[in-house]
Each structure stands twice: as structure tokens, then as C-alpha cells.
Amino acid sequence: MTKLTAFIDGSAYAESVCDHTAWMAKQLSASVELVHVLGRRHDSQAPANLSGAIGLGARSALMEELAEADAQNARLAHKRGRLLLESAAERLRADGVTDVAMKLMNGDFVQAVEAIGEDSRALIIGKRGEGADFASGHLGSNLERAVRAARRPVFVAARAFSPIEKVLIAYDGGASAEKAVETVAESRVLAGTEVTVLAVAKEGDALAAKAAAAVNRLEASAVTPKLVIRAGHAEAVIEEVAAQEGTDLLVMGAYGHSRIRTLVIGSTTTAVLTACKIPVLLVR
């Protein structure tokens, strides 16, 4: 049976992650695995070395007290994680998803993403984690690392859920862009959608010809494709076309060999995803 894996935390994106996951799961008749990662945030709170600062007896008592406090924090974090997962599962079931499993994982979030096997069809995560700085508009610090570590496509949920009817593929001609085209062509979730293939190039360029071939591939699928060729700065062009087309989902290859590549794994990744108000599907 097809499985989706959704990462749940206490951020404002958690409900959107649930709603997007439920929407996809129902169309795929898929099961859902909800994951909450108990991070290592308490590591930085490890007891300081108090050697010589206080007497041996007092130090031993204090260390025991700190150890108990750490244990209590761990128990509370575990309870909180269970509650978050149970709330998410309840939301999914209320939306008609019946096969829901829950998993608490310890350690680093990126390692948890890396551990998700290829039996999962896709990973769904929020655009910002609960530790992100909304005031500065920064993304969660783990997002880019998670995308690099994931072995399956990563669906980055926007703040609010909206059914997906229009899709924009940012096409750069690279291997992962071709994979993105195949993913859209074969997707049961995206069947019936309108798909725009965008190549940031000039008419007559080799990339424009490859993009036209990608559209031909999509014409043989269940989507309605069209081609847009536009010159300019990739980041700005993607934003502009996404707005003009009323796009509900941006699809990008996570690894490529052109300017779009730098948007995904380069220094401007954060800028692209921050500016984008719609969900983004990143395909390797």
C-alpha cells in the first residue's frame, strides 16, 4: 500500500501539513505515517562543570537535581510529542484518512528525514518549523538540509491548505528536472491539473527545445500542459509566472545544472522558498 510520511511539530504549519497530507492520501488511497522528532535541544543545557566551585557534597546533590530536571524535561517532551501526533492523527481521521500510524523519533531532524525509507512515496513538511523566526521571514534552519538528505520527493507545505489545480514546473533541463516532469506525468494526485512548464531561457535556446519535449511528454499523461519560455533572472521569473498563472504548486528538481540549481541547493534557496506563498514539491 502507498504510504506518505508527514513530519509534525508545534509550528503554525502543522495543520496545513495535515490537510495537504490528507488531501493526497485520499486520492492515493494511501496510509499515513506521522513523525515527530524529539530533538537535541536539551544538549545545550547540559550541566556545567562545577569542579572547584562548590564543595563535593553540594556538587553531587546539585548534579542529581540537574539530572532529575533533564529527565523531567525529556518526559515532558515525550508527552508533548505524543499529544502533537495524536492531534494530527485526529485531524487526518476527521478528514477521512483511516490508516494512520504515529512515530516518535529521537535525534536530529535531518537524520530522521534521511532514515525514511523508499517505501514512503513522499515526505510532507512545513515550510517553517516551530523554531523559525517569523519576524525575519527566515525558513526553518533544517529545511534545506532535509531536502538534501531526503531520498523521496519532499512536499513543502505552505501556511494554508488549498486544493491543487494549477502546477508550475520550473524546468532547467537537468536530470532532476526531468524526474520532476516524470513525477508530475505519473502522479495520480496531479491528474486533471493544468501544468505550466517554465524554462528561463530565450526562444530558440537548447533549453527551450528540451522544455518543449517535456511538454510533449506531459501531453501523453492525464494533465493539461503548456509551455512558457521567458528570459530573465530565474528567481524573479519563477515568482512572476507563478503569480500570473495562479499557480497552486511549484515543482522543482532538487538537483540540476543550471541557474535553477542554484535556487535549490545554493545560497538563494531560502530566498526562493521564502518568497513563494504556495507549496513546493522538490524532486531528486
Side-chain angles (χ1 to χ4, degrees):
M1 184 178 188
T2 301
K3 183 177 78 174
L4 301 172
T5 300
F7 283 82
I8 300 297
D9 63 8
S11 74
Y13 285 78
E15 291 185 354
S16 174
V17 168
C18 290
D19 295 344
H20 281 98
T21 302
W23 183 76
M24 288 185 271
K26 286 187 292 184
Q27 296 190 66
L28 294 168
S29 299
S31 63
V32 175
E33 180 183 56
L34 297 171
V35 177
H36 177 74
V37 181
L38 297 169
R40 295 169 175 166
R41 65 182 59 187
H42 299 296
D43 291 354
S44 60
Q45 300 172 7
N49 183 2
L50 302 176
S51 300
I54 54 179
L56 179 60
R59 186 167 69 245
S60 296
L62 180 56
M63 293 300 287
E64 289 177 3
E65 189 174 334
L66 291 172
E68 175 54 31
D70 282 347
Q72 178 65 13
N73 286 337
R75 287 194 290 271
L76 289 174
H78 191 276
K79 285 185 177 180
R80 178 177 180 274
R82 292 298 304 179
L83 284 173
L84 289 171
L85 289 175
E86 288 169 3
S87 295
E90 185 177 346
R91 190 177 183 94
L92 285 165
R93 292 185 182 113
D95 207 2
V97 181
T98 57
D99 192 347
V100 182
M102 297 179 286
K103 180 187 287 185
L104 276 174
M105 298 181 72
N106 290 294
D108 181 78
F109 171 72
V110 176
Q111 291 176 342
V113 168
E114 195 172 24
I116 300 302
E118 295 190 357
D119 60 327
S120 184
R121 189 182 183 97
L123 280 60
I124 302 96
I125 62 178
K127 184 175 175 180
R128 292 183 175 88
E130 58 188 312
D133 182 353
F134 276 82
S136 66
H138 288 170
L139 293 172
S141 60
N142 287 322
L143 178 57
E144 184 175 338
R145 292 172 57 222
V147 170
R148 294 184 187 206
R151 289 182 284 174
R152 305 297 292 166
V154 177
F155 185 98
V156 183
R159 181 68 175 269
F161 167 74
S162 179
I164 295 167
E165 298 176 352
K166 294 187 176 183
V167 177
L168 176 66
I169 301 176
Y171 181 85
D172 72 353
S176 60
E178 299 292 351
K179 185 71 177 294
V181 171
E182 283 301 313
T183 298
V184 172
E186 295 173 359
S187 173
R188 284 187 282 154
V189 173
L190 299 178
T193 59
E194 298 176 21
V195 178
T196 298
V197 177
L198 170 64
V200 182
K202 295 179 181 177
E203 293 287 351
D205 284 356
L207 176 59
K210 291 191 70 174
V215 170
N216 290 337
R217 166 67 183 94
L218 290 168
E219 285 176 343
S221 71
V223 304
T224 302
K226 72 174 183 180
L227 176 63
V228 172
I229 305 294
R230 191 166 299 181
H233 187 277
E235 178 186 336
V237 171
I238 290 170
E239 282 188 60
E240 180 182 284
V241 174
Q244 290 175 350
E245 297 292 330
T247 302
D248 302 308
L249 174 68
L250 172 63
V251 181
M252 302 178 75
Y255 292 89
H257 63 269
S258 71
R259 286 186 296 172
I260 287 178
R261 171 180 180 268
T262 68
L263 301 181
V264 180
I265 64 172
S267 60
T268 56
T269 302
T270 299
V272 171
L273 294 177
T274 299
C276 194
K277 306 299 183 187
I278 57 176
V280 180
L281 178 64
L282 295 168
V283 180
R284 292 186 61 180

